[in-house]
Amino acid sequence: MGKAQTRAQNKYIAKAYDRVNLVLKKDTSPTKDEVQAAADAEGVSLNAYIVAAISQQLSKDKP
């Protein structure tokens, strides 16, 4: 991938996506490894697993 293509891709990502930084303690549950194992068991990426969990919680919380 050339530099121009990388810049274009980064520009698109910045415009189309929001980024959230998730921090998990290594010595308390859930750990990254636990969440990754759950995602692997579902056959999805870590990101997709987290997004689905958030969506499910938001749907549950709606009146």
Side-chain angles (χ1 to χ4, degrees):
M1 187 179 310
K3 287 183 183 181
Q5 187 177 2
T6 299
R7 276 195 304 271
Q9 185 177 22
N10 289 341
K11 183 178 177 182
Y12 170 77
I13 289 170
K15 181 176 144 185
Y17 294 92
D18 285 326
R19 187 170 288 276
V20 176
N21 187 25
L22 175 65
V23 179
L24 300 172
K25 289 189 82 168
K26 291 184 178 190
D27 58 352
T28 58
S29 188
T31 64
K32 180 184 175 192
D33 290 340
E34 290 172 332
V35 179
Q36 183 67 62
D40 292 344
E42 293 287 323
V44 298
S45 69
L46 180 60
N47 188 72
Y49 185 83
I50 293 168
V51 169
I54 292 168
S55 294
Q56 183 180 21
Q57 186 65 42
L58 288 173
S59 293
K60 189 174 106 180
D61 292 345
K62 286 185 180 177

